[in-house]
Amino acid sequence: MKPPLLPRLALALALPRRDRRFALADLQDELEGRSERDGEALARRWYRQQAAQSLLPLLRLKLLGTRAGPDPSASGGGRFDVGEKMPDFLSDVRYAFRTLAQQPLVVVTTLLSLGIGIAAVTSIFTIANAFLLRPTTGDPEVLERVVAVYTSQEGGAANGANSFPDFQSMRDQVASLGDDSALTDLTTFRMGVVRLEEDEQIDTLMVEITTGNYFEVLGIRPPLGRGFLPEETQMGSAEPVAVIAYHLWRDRFGADPTMLGETIQLDGVDFTVVGVAPEGLTGRLLSLKIDAWLPLGIPGGTYHATPTELADRDDREYSIFGALADGATIEQASAQMDALAESLHAEYNDIWEDDLGRQRRITVLSERDSRVPPDARPGLYGAAGLMLIIAGSILFIACANVAGMFLARASRRGREMAVRLSLGASRRRLVRMLLTESLMLGLASGALGVALAHQAAKWMGSIPFPLGIALSFDFSLDYRVMLFALFISVATSVIFGLAPALQASKPSLVNALKTLTGATGRRPGRFSLRNLLVVGQVAVSMVFLVSAGLVLRTIQIESAADTGINPERIASMTKWLDEEEYPGPAAADYFDQIQARLTALPEVEAAHSSLTAELSLLSSVFRLQVEVDGFAQPDGERTMVPHNAVTPGYMEMLEIELLRGRTIRQTDTEGARRVAVVNEAFAERYWPDGTAVGQEFRVVARRGARNRMDVQPESIEIVGVVANGQYAGFEGELTPFVWLPIAQDYTPYRFLHVKGRDGYGAEVMASLMRREVPVARREVSLIQPTSYQELAGFQFVIFGAMSKAFGYAGVFALLLAAIGIYGIVSFSVSQRRHEMAVRQAVGANPDQVRNLVLRDGMILAISGLVIGLVLTVPLSILLASEIPDLHALDPFALGGSLAVLITTALIASLIPSRRLLRIDPMDTLRQE
Amino acid sequence: MPGKFLAEFELYVMMAIARLGDDSYGATVRREIEERTGRPVSIGALYATLARLGDKGYLEFDEVDPKPGERGRSRKYSRLTPEGQEAMDHSMIMLRRMMEGLEPLGSTERVR
């Protein structure tokens, strides 16, 4: 029989070459004997144990040789022979402590450099761990059989959400196929946001609204209480019950075991808590933190899971997971779903086509693949790649720096090593001694790094999402992160410790002993390892600084650019009424009343409502597919123009500049002629001759998360043209934009805005809103009152985070580079004392001597700068292609970074070179 | 005479080799110690110890490889050198002296 592959390979590698074939043959002998006696499985297990137990003694033999003494592990529990080895190792550790204690500066610099470097890489790993590696909570055997089901979206992206009626069709198909179905059970859910009101405190909870079998299908067993019961989750008559998240139970309810059976108020409805979910159970989407799970099918609905939405086949908000039947494969499930997609297309043709007129597809993925579905990968991997490059570079320069420092120490310790060698120490012994030192430093740095990464993870998990939505990710550290950090620490210790150790233990005895007497050693070459390390550091810090500068400049230019609106003194909030509670005009009346009530307040200049808010995250969500008679649309292209629907006076409140015609008026009511105001980009696109006012367009389709209004075939007249602005946020100034009268475009989902009179700022208005705006029955609150400025500022959040990341990386790299240059120049000063003393003695003046040393530092700095510049050019062009409006090769960013780096390099070289000025040539020469 | 002191496991290995005579190679030595002491012995620890004892001059080895076309496996036979025999004798005498008048009192389950 054949031995297990991996153990055999490990053994073959660990065994000394001369014994390899014998030991393997011996094992093979016995493996065969055992497999006849005990069976193959036990024999293989024995082989694996043999391999595992053999590795340690063999590695000892490899590393330390036969003189290392008997292996303490050799006799299983050996007591006689806690060999001569341990004392050796302990003495190495003691020695390392002693030497390091004498050089606190080296220790602190190393710990800080490597600590931050390890922390950077570990933080990135933490994110990858959260998204990709950490197993989903739930019974692994069940999860093995779980699949995710997607419907393709507009534009053809495969991994989109599903509609609830489609989910029902899938379930019906599974039921009708019975035992022939590749899937046995399906569950669906949507995400939602609800208000939790408890003891005067209001929290926004992120929830998943699920079918009754959610926990069962995903193999989750609540540790306290239970999941949902079939009888309490009947569609249309489900009971208001809730399973709450472990963290909510612990933090908000003090881990009260009597919570079960209690009620909590969510969006004004009493829910009975029936269970507490397992700790660490996150949402299915990107590890989002979920606070509670509620059943679908409660009469009237929860959040948007209303009877209307549940009946709308064209409203795709639902994630679907299912269980594979025994023996069935994902391919079979896919084929089954393909057939369903075709029959759905035959039945509902246009609903089952995407915006390009192609039939929608259904995709089935394994649970593991669904954590980051293929559609989301390019973006996520791109971002992760960029972060990894930043973090990796930081670790690299940290290592480079520490290696540089240790090389300098090594050459200072050349004498000590020479003495030890000449007294008979083996080179292996010396290398081991030096490596013990770097390993200790590396492990200590690793511990520091993990602590820092833990803080960073806490920070990343609590990044407030713009608009006050309670999004948070689960980035906690677990054993995988710890193992990773340990591996990185040991690897870095070897990387920064080995080269110096090898160099230090190999001094030519004669030379080193000669230096003992003070005779000058050879001047290190310009291309020594240390110099190259410093050049690399300067180059990397140059790249970071320029990148940070570029992003900062972009923010500066963007925020100074004319956005087209004036958000001053305006506070905003969303108010999404329940469609059933406020059907049709009732919602319009409700908003009119609030508007009148707010306008009557003495502090208020104006109060308005709108479908969305320009410049906000939601500014381009609502879109119209527009057609203009006589305008030939390029083939296959459908223009989806972002739009807003507003009350009369809204555009004046935001000070949107009117160029021609008029804005929305009171007379643009429901029965009146349908009108629109457009921006110049829109007008120019269809009527480049400037005759847009008075022209007409038709809306043939519309898209928007909560915008289910009928498409009216009648034409819409353009009554006004306004200046271009950043209305659609990211999409830039030249995106066409359309405003409709909200009275002609009924919606129960609105933004409310209040502008204060002079002297009343946005903050005052926000608190006024919190006080004056009533909470409607079953309303959904997404955005709490906040300043419009903040609403509009979201687009700088990502830029801000990026420039911070680059900025911190740049400053850190700069600091390290400065330390590196300082080290090089100090070293060169100490090496060349004698030479300098001679030069001075024969008449050179101190300044000339100093400039010689200064030149060493500056040559390194400038080489680094040149390399950095060469690297920066392609990088900034790459960044510019990723980020619209980023100005590649911005002279301020480039010039600024250059100036900062040169100044730093100069200071770092000047400080140690001043020491030369204090040299008394006679003293120095006399010392010999 | 520090060189002549054998560690426990080294002594076991040498005793097993002495006991097995001409048939002492890796697999048999390993099994012999395991069966007599009841402790698991890893092949790695055994070969590390063999190498050490060889370097001390206590063991000699005969490496036997099957000729091409012949059945059988490579074996590394071990044999005590006169120095090895002396070191083992020395250790055994020391042990015997130290054991004089003593009997195992505790449970001997583990050894059997």
Side-chain angles (χ1 to χ4, degrees), chain A residues 707-729:
Chain A
N707 195 17
R708 315 247 121 255
M709 291 149 282
D710 295 331
V711 175
Q712 280 134 335
E714 54 190 301
S715 61
I716 297 175
E717 182 186 343
I718 296 172
V719 293
V721 176
V722 298
N724 289 334
Q726 312 272 345
Y727 308 122

Side-chain angles (χ1 to χ4, degrees), chain A residues 18-19 21-23 25-30 32 46 50 53-54 57-58 66 69-71 74-75 80-81, chain B residues 7-10 25-27 30-31 34 39 41-45 47-48 51-52 55 63 65 73-76:
Chain A
R18 56 164 200 261
D19 286 337
R21 63 181 190 281
F22 303 114
D26 289 337
L27 281 175
Q28 186 65 32
D29 241 337
E30 207 160 346
E32 281 165 11
W46 170 81
Q50 275 291 321
Q53 288 161 4
S54 295
L58 289 175
T66 52
D71 183 343
S75 56
F80 288 179
D81 46 7
Chain B
E8 184 186 20
F9 189 66
E10 289 176 337
Y25 60 96
R30 204 196 68 75
R31 217 174 303 144
E34 221 175 42
R39 288 189 199 165
V41 174
S42 79
I43 201 79
Y47 272 90
R52 196 161 50 238
D55 282 7
E63 302 186 353
D65 288 306
R73 294 212 164 82
S74 302
R75 281 174 183 171
K76 184 170 177 172

Side-chain angles (χ1 to χ4, degrees), chain A residues 2 50 125 195 240 246 249 252 258 303 310 340 377 417 424 430 433 449 475 593 596 616 630 659 662 677 757 876 884:
Chain A
K2 279 189 177 153
Q50 275 291 321
F125 182 79
R195 255 175 312 119
Y246 191 88
W249 177 62
R252 185 72 153 73
T258 66
Y303 188 67
L310 290 171
L340 181 65
R377 279 175 202 169
M417 295 303 147
L430 287 187
M433 191 177 85
F475 287 146
Q593 279 170 22
S616 76
L659 299 176
R662 64 173 178 91
V677 175
R757 291 187 190 280
S876 69

